[in-house]
C-alpha cells in the first residue's frame, strides 16, 4: 500500500501513528511529498507534531502551497523570531529598551 511508506516517513518525523493517519487524510489527492514537506517545515519552525497537524487541519491550503514558497515563508517566520511556534521576545526592544 502506497500510504504505508508515507505514514512511516511521518512517524519518523515524530508524528504518532494516529497523527500520521489524520495527516494522510488531508488532501488525499496530493502526492506524499507535499504533505511531508509541509509537515517538515512546520516542525522546523519548532512546532510540536500535534500543533503542526492542527495547523494543517485548520489550513489545508498550506498543503497545496508549492514547497519552495512554503520554505520561503517558514524562513521568513524564523527570521522574524518565531521560536517553538511563538514569537521570541527580543531583548532591548519595546518599552524602556
Amino acid at each position: 500500500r502506497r500510504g504505508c511508506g508515507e505514514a512511516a516517513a511521518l512517524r519518523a518525523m515524530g508524528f504518532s501513528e494516529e497523527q500520521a493517519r489524520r495527516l494522510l487524510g488531508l488532501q488525499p489527492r496530493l502526492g506524499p511529498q507535499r504533505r511531508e514537506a509541509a509537515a517538515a517545515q512546520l516542525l522546523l519552525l519548532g512546532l510540536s507534531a500535534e500543533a503542526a497537524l492542527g495547523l494543517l487541519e485548520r489550513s489545508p491550503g498550506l498543503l497545496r502551497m508549492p514547497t519552495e514558497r512554503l520554505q520561503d515563508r517558514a524562513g521568513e517566520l524564523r527570521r522574524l523570531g518565531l521560536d517553538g511556534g511563538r514569537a521570541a521576545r527580543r531583548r532591548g526592544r519595546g518599552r524602556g529598551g
Side-chain angles (χ1 to χ4, degrees), residues 71-93:
Q71 289 171 337
D72 290 344
R73 289 195 172 187
E76 183 62 27
L77 289 172
R78 280 190 292 278
R79 283 189 292 279
L80 292 173
L82 189 71
D83 178 29
R86 296 182 179 184
R89 287 185 162 198
R90 304 235 175 176
R91 293 177 190 223
R93 291 195 161 184

Side-chain angles (χ1 to χ4, degrees), residues 23 26-27 30 33-39 41-42 45 47 51-71 73-74 77:
L23 188 50
L26 297 175
Q27 303 290 318
L30 288 178
Q33 296 85 4
R34 286 282 179 94
R35 271 188 292 275
E36 289 176 30
Q41 287 304 311
L42 294 174
L45 284 173
L47 295 177
L53 175 59
L55 180 59
L56 291 170
E57 287 176 330
R58 286 188 306 277
S59 302
L62 289 172
L63 294 169
R64 292 188 303 274
M65 188 179 288
T67 302
E68 210 172 76
R69 188 169 167 207
L70 188 58
Q71 289 171 337
R73 289 195 172 187
L77 289 172

Side-chain angles (χ1 to χ4, degrees), residues 7 10-11 15-25 50 53 57:
L10 293 170
R11 285 194 309 275
F15 290 93
S16 70
E17 190 170 331
E18 188 264 333
Q19 290 168 331
R21 189 171 39 252
R22 285 169 49 199
L23 188 50
L24 289 172
E50 185 62 33
L53 175 59
E57 287 176 330

